[in-house]
Amino acid sequence: MIIYISIIFIFVCILIFIKYLYRYYKMRMLYRSFFLHKIDTEEEITKEYFKKIKNPDIDEGVYNDLELGQIFNIVNRTYSDVGKEYMYGQMFISNHCHKDLECIIEKLKNEKLLKKVLYELYSLSRGYTPALHFFNQDNLFTKWDTIIVFLSTLILSSLILSCFFEIMMIKYVVLWLSVQVGLYTHYVKKTDDMMSQCMSYSFVVECLNSLQKFHLFSSEEKKKIYKMINKAHRYTLVSRVIGVVSQIDIFYLMEFIKGIFFIPIYQCYFLLKHKNELEEDFLEMYEYVGKVETAVSIVSLRHQYQTCIPDVSSMPVVQFKNCYHPIIKNPVKNSFSTDTSCMITGSNASGKSTFLKTVGVNMIMAKAYHTCFADEFVYYPFQLCTSIHIQDNLKTGESYYIREIKTLKAILNMMSKQQCLILIDEILRGTNEKERIAISKVVLKYMFESQSLIFVTTHDLSIVDAFSHISQYCFNDDIVDKIWKSDYKIKEGVCKVGNAIKLLDVYGFDSKIVEQLKKPY
């Protein structure tokens, strides 16, 4: 008997050693890959955290205008869905604690600590499925379900115990196991993905429990986290025991045991029974884990890109040095400073729209992630409004022009409530020239008289001439020997030379068309 016990003990020790060896190996691999160049891939966003945001700071129009989906693919370096969803949501939130974020980032400069954090987040990613709405669901287990599950588990346990006294009882154990499997399958289907969400809740709790031991949070936050974890632990004891045993389970026997003894069902039942106590804490714990993953992503981002930590100004100003758009390969960097509204002119494809997007993207980056693609970036926390990529809507039957004026109306409404940074590209391009110019002059006059900061691009020099008192900037280009060139640098002044006809020649239009257009008209 002693020999058998010794063999089992040695075997368990070997398993534990293998697990820790794997952990050490995985930590090293995660750390090595952390600083490699990230390939920007599009990932699915479930918006589970976004749906918890009551009053988003930006709307869908701003998101589409600035192509924030592509920006997020660049910024996102998270491991788990918790971090990804939380980080995505930060683009839509107005209030951020950058001090806490920078404090975590500073601590992550410790190589040993970073390795541990990466491993915990990686471990969370392996088991977590979207579960933030878990406590919003009704408990699907009826009184009879509870009785059936309990009695079935009791019968199986009794049969297993009886095998120690009568070996022939094992055939009844096997028979009842088939009943257990059938019942478990039934309840898994009945509850859909509630059980996986229930286990995901436990994973988030345990991940945060590990992270808070690394002293990443302030003393006040640690006390709060400690209380939340203790409360959660009252109802996740079964999951925690399973989690500990799973550390030495290389044959996945625990998955079999969890199924035949209905462990996920019991865990799900306990959590839903006490959901009023746990729901609010779950969101906060989720946010703490998300905050750490956001910090990890920013550390990686700052290592790969030329970035800066922005400064917030108490005055309504936008000021930056060598700022660029991260989507563009080998981007041209611009420096700019203004505390007044401005109009921007320039030929086609000279850089006007990209400049507006660059300003907008870095404003979002400054607010959400305390990081900008520039050498220096100073900003006032304006409410951001845009009108850049307007599209007609076939479903609603709205034309391009209707979408434009509805967007402008929303901007005007926002201006009346708070100070905004407004980015408008080619105002009212969706209607005829005469009415476009007339409406633009009146609308822009109204905007320029407000306390907001307006950046507007246009080709219409008559509109520019009507606002000679507004700061004027431009982008210039040239075409030499059918080769189009632009330095993409913003300059003071007005661009009064168009390139539309010349570009037809550059892109191979028939010479008869080009020559005809060159004649006076």
Side-chain angles (χ1 to χ4, degrees):
M1 188 68 174
I2 296 176
I3 295 175
Y4 290 129
I5 294 174
S6 299
I7 292 173
I8 293 173
F9 177 76
I10 293 171
F11 182 68
V12 170
C13 288
I14 292 173
L15 291 182
I16 294 173
F17 175 75
I18 291 172
K19 280 286 184 179
Y20 275 94
L21 192 65
Y22 170 78
R23 177 188 174 96
Y24 174 75
Y25 166 78
K26 197 64 189 179
M27 285 171 63
R28 290 193 63 184
M29 293 303 295
L30 288 170
Y31 183 75
R32 284 183 181 179
S33 62
F34 180 72
F35 292 106
L36 296 178
H37 186 87
K38 176 184 177 288
I39 300 174
D40 304 325
T41 55
E42 186 174 353
E43 296 189 38
E44 182 183 358
I45 305 294
T46 65
K47 297 187 179 182
E48 65 166 351
Y49 182 73
F50 172 80
K51 292 172 184 175
K52 296 288 184 179
I53 301 172
K54 294 181 179 178
N55 298 303
D57 191 47
I58 61 172
D59 58 22
E60 185 180 357
V62 174
Y63 183 87
N64 293 330
D65 281 349
L66 300 179
E67 300 167 301
L68 293 180
Q70 294 185 56
I71 299 300
F72 184 71
N73 291 337
I74 293 172
V75 173
N76 176 35
R77 284 119 197 283
T78 57
Y79 289 82
S80 76
D81 283 349
V82 174
K84 180 179 67 178
E85 297 295 329
Y86 175 84
M87 196 169 185
Y88 176 81
Q90 295 311 293
M91 293 190 292
F92 301 89
I93 295 175
S94 57
N95 296 321
H96 299 85
C97 188
H98 294 145
K99 183 178 178 181
D100 289 347
L101 182 65
E102 290 297 337
C103 183
I104 297 174
I105 290 172
E106 185 64 30
K107 290 176 180 178
L108 290 175
K109 291 179 180 178
N110 181 300
E111 179 182 327
K112 187 176 180 180
L113 177 61
L114 179 58
K115 286 180 179 178
K116 291 179 179 178
V117 170
L118 291 179
Y119 183 78
E120 293 299 331
L121 298 177
Y122 166 77
S123 299
L124 176 62
S125 71
R126 297 180 66 191
Y128 183 84
T129 56
L132 200 52
H133 61 285
F134 172 66
F135 290 110
N136 296 335
Q137 303 173 93
D138 295 326
N139 194 334
L140 297 180
F141 298 108
T142 65
K143 182 179 179 181
W144 285 109
D145 288 329
T146 307
I147 293 173
I148 291 170
V149 168
F150 177 74
L151 289 178
S152 182
T153 307
L154 186 63
I155 292 171
L156 178 63
S157 301
S158 301
L159 289 173
I160 292 174
L161 287 173
S162 65
C163 290
F164 289 97
F165 305 100
E166 178 58 60
I167 192 66
M168 295 301 294
M169 292 296 293
I170 196 167
K171 60 183 178 182
Y172 296 106
V173 172
V174 174
L175 177 64
W176 197 256
L177 276 177
S178 63
V179 175
Q180 290 285 94
V181 170
L183 284 172
Y184 184 71
T185 303
H186 165 72
Y187 284 115
V188 167
K189 289 182 178 179
K190 179 178 179 178
T191 58
D192 196 19
D193 58 350
M194 280 177 62
M195 290 189 196
S196 61
Q197 292 174 19
C198 161
M199 299 308 292
S200 291
Y201 169 82
S202 301
F203 295 147
V204 171
V205 172
E206 293 312 307
C207 180
L208 181 58
N209 190 33
S210 298
L211 294 176
Q212 64 94 15
K213 292 176 183 177
F214 301 151
H215 307 292
L216 293 168
F217 307 103
S218 67
S219 55
E220 187 177 333
E221 287 178 317
K222 282 179 68 177
K223 290 177 183 178
K224 188 176 182 180
I225 291 170
Y226 182 76
K227 288 181 180 178
M228 291 191 295
I229 289 174
N230 275 353
K231 187 192 293 186
H233 276 174
R234 295 177 206 163
Y235 309 110
T236 57
L237 176 62
V238 176
S239 294
R240 284 186 288 124
V241 171
I242 295 298
V244 171
V245 176
S246 296
Q247 294 298 313
I248 58 172
D249 177 26
I250 62 173
F251 300 112
Y252 299 101
L253 293 176
M254 286 312 304
E255 294 300 317
F256 175 71
I257 293 172
K258 279 160 52 177
I260 64 172
F261 286 104
F262 298 154
I263 290 174
I265 295 177
Y266 286 118
Q267 185 64 85
C268 191
Y269 175 79
F270 288 139
L271 290 179
L272 288 176
K273 187 177 180 181
H274 300 279
K275 66 179 181 178
N276 292 334
E277 298 176 56
L278 302 172
E279 183 177 359
E280 188 175 340
D281 284 354
F282 183 32
L283 179 60
E284 288 197 62
M285 289 189 287
Y286 186 103
E287 289 175 331
Y288 278 119
V289 174
K291 188 185 293 185
V292 173
E293 272 210 85
T294 298
V296 167
S297 281
I298 293 173
V299 170
S300 174
L301 181 74
R302 290 178 180 177
H303 180 267
Q304 185 174 330
Y305 287 83
Q306 174 59 45
T307 61
C308 71
I309 296 175
D311 294 316
V312 180
S313 173
S314 58
M315 302 298 291
V317 63
V318 174
Q319 179 181 327
F320 48 80
K321 181 179 179 182
N322 292 329
C323 191
Y324 66 98
H325 199 295
I327 292 178
I328 301 172
K329 293 183 179 179
N330 303 315
V332 174
K333 299 178 181 181
N334 268 293
S335 299
F336 187 74
S337 177
T338 186
D339 58 0
T340 62
S341 296
C342 61
M343 303 190 74
I344 304 170
T345 52
S347 303
N348 296 291
S350 58
K352 303 187 302 301
S353 300
T354 300
F355 179 79
L356 292 185
K357 292 177 186 178
T358 299
V359 174
V361 163
N362 280 283
M363 279 291 292
I364 295 293
M365 289 293 300
K367 288 182 178 182
Y369 309 122
H370 206 220
T371 302
C372 290
F373 298 101
D375 292 344
E376 296 176 12
F377 197 90
V378 181
Y379 73 103
Y380 179 82
F382 295 102
Q383 174 67 45
L384 185 61
C385 300
T386 63
S387 177
I388 299 176
H389 279 309
I390 305 294
Q391 292 183 333
D392 54 11
N393 192 318
L394 295 177
K395 289 184 179 180
T396 62
E398 293 177 338
S399 68
Y400 186 98
Y401 176 68
I402 296 297
R403 294 297 301 275
E404 272 190 302
I405 60 174
K406 289 181 74 171
T407 301
L408 286 176
K409 181 62 169 63
I411 291 173
L412 293 172
N413 289 342
M414 187 63 72
M415 285 173 55
S416 65
K417 299 174 185 176
Q418 53 190 306
Q419 206 165 7
C420 302
L421 173 63
I422 301 167
L423 309 175
I424 302 176
D425 188 29
E426 299 294 344
I427 185 168
L428 296 176
R429 72 180 88 175
T431 190
N432 64 81
E433 181 181 2
K434 182 180 178 180
E435 290 183 300
R436 177 177 69 247
I437 293 173
I439 298 172
S440 296
K441 287 180 180 179
V442 175
V443 171
L444 288 176
K445 182 177 183 296
Y446 182 87
M447 287 184 170
F448 289 145
E449 289 173 352
S450 71
Q451 297 298 310
S452 294
L453 209 62
I454 296 95
F455 291 6
V456 57
T457 70
T458 182
H459 286 291
D460 293 311
L461 295 181
S462 58
I463 297 177
V464 175
D465 293 338
F467 298 101
S468 57
H469 61 288
I470 299 297
S471 299
Q472 303 288 345
Y473 294 90
C474 67
F475 287 87
N476 296 319
D477 70 325
D478 195 14
I479 296 176
V480 180
D481 296 329
K482 293 188 178 183
I483 298 176
W484 178 85
K485 294 180 180 179
S486 176
D487 59 6
Y488 301 109
K489 289 286 189 179
I490 191 167
K491 306 173 184 69
E492 291 187 6
V494 178
C495 177
K496 296 187 177 182
V497 180
N499 67 358
I501 296 175
K502 291 182 180 179
L503 284 175
L504 297 181
D505 195 23
V506 170
Y507 284 94
F509 273 63
D510 192 289
S511 59
K512 292 180 180 179
I513 296 175
V514 176
E515 291 302 321
Q516 181 66 32
L517 288 169
K518 287 181 179 179
K519 295 177 182 179
Y521 55 91

